[in-house]
Amino acid sequence: MDVSDLEAAFALPLAEDASFDTTLVGVLATLASLATPLAGVLLAGYVIRLVRAGDCEATALPSFDDLTGMAVDGARLSAALVALQLPAVGLATAALPGSSPSLSMLTHATDPAMFGLLGLSLLDTATLAAAGVATLAGSYLSVAATVALARERSLVAAIPVTRDLALDRSFVRVASAVALVGFVARLLVSLCAAVPAVGTVLAAIASFCFLVAAATLLGRGAPDATTLGVDVTRESRAGDANSGSAEPMESA
């Protein structure tokens, strides 16, 4: 991954070849995801499509066609992301019995004052700290799983690719860059949401644009399959993506 990948990721929503209708549908889907998880599943499927487009160095936004296939991809990705965060949620639940801890609570796992206020024992504190570590590990593996699912289109086949990506040192830089983009996105979206009257719309626009940038950067920056020991090249994946656009998605 280099600076050109970062520039291409942020320029994609504004590319001349990108359709305004595609951007509009993306913003509307982002707005709808605030009200229904079904729209969130479709957006997850679009993330997979964006990663594939970045992997093939596409110069325009992929369209919102083949909604069934997009929903299938989104369901696969959503299932993988939930599964990767279950260990963290389980540890947090064990450390805080009788409550319903959210992932945001794990950000306070390093604050000693929180432990005293909650009346946590040493064992509970260690368990909550382990939950924080599990959250970071799950988030990193989630990024690798997103690339793997975009390339393999199968949960089973994506497992070894996820492992190889996670163990590749160059992928750490890519995941860190995507995390930084996500952090900046949350700040900007929060600022947009605070604008009176049109804050929700502005937040949706910013959220979709940063989603496109992060997913495209992930596709462009992830190590090639040949680097991971898989006998597939970026050119062959590009040809597969072009031919696969006219075929129905394979089932998991």
Side-chain angles (χ1 to χ4, degrees):
M1 185 186 70
D2 53 28
V3 177
S4 64
D5 290 326
L6 189 61
E7 292 176 347
F10 277 98
L12 190 60
L14 304 176
E16 294 182 359
D17 296 335
S19 170
F20 175 77
D21 292 341
T22 299
T23 302
L24 179 60
V25 173
V27 173
L28 292 176
T30 304
L31 281 171
S33 67
L34 300 176
T36 171
L38 295 178
V41 171
L42 282 178
L43 273 180
Y46 193 66
V47 167
I48 294 293
R49 190 165 292 184
L50 285 167
V51 173
R52 288 178 188 149
D55 205 17
C56 302
E57 299 184 356
T59 58
L61 286 176
S63 60
F64 279 87
D65 56 1
D66 187 16
L67 295 182
T68 300
M70 191 182 300
V72 171
D73 281 339
R76 290 180 186 138
L77 179 58
S78 299
L81 298 185
V82 170
L84 289 170
Q85 291 296 346
L86 283 179
V89 174
L91 287 169
T93 302
L96 301 171
S99 62
S100 300
S102 63
L103 294 178
S104 60
M105 294 177 60
L106 301 179
T107 59
H108 301 289
T110 58
D111 187 355
M114 285 294 296
F115 304 142
L117 292 175
L118 295 174
L120 298 179
S121 66
L122 182 60
L123 178 60
D124 292 336
T125 300
T127 304
L128 193 58
V133 174
T135 300
L136 293 176
S139 299
Y140 176 69
L141 290 175
S142 295
V143 177
T146 301
V147 178
L149 284 171
R151 291 178 176 177
E152 299 300 325
R153 305 186 182 185
S154 166
L155 284 170
V156 176
I159 293 176
V161 179
T162 301
R163 180 197 62 225
D164 293 341
L165 277 170
L167 295 177
D168 191 282
R169 292 184 178 180
S170 64
F171 187 70
V172 176
R173 293 185 302 165
V174 178
S176 300
V178 172
L180 180 60
V181 170
F183 175 75
V184 174
R186 284 191 291 271
L187 291 179
L188 184 58
V189 168
S190 298
L191 292 175
C192 290
V195 177
V198 295
T200 302
V201 176
L202 290 178
I205 295 173
S207 180
F208 178 71
C209 289
F210 273 98
L211 178 72
V212 170
T216 304
L217 178 63
L218 184 57
R220 292 180 65 92
D224 289 336
T226 50
T227 305
L228 300 173
V230 181
D231 189 19
V232 181
T233 64
R234 173 167 287 191
E235 288 76 12
S236 66
R237 286 200 306 274
D240 178 68
N242 292 332
S243 62
S245 60
E247 299 176 356
M249 295 289 186
E250 299 178 1
S251 61

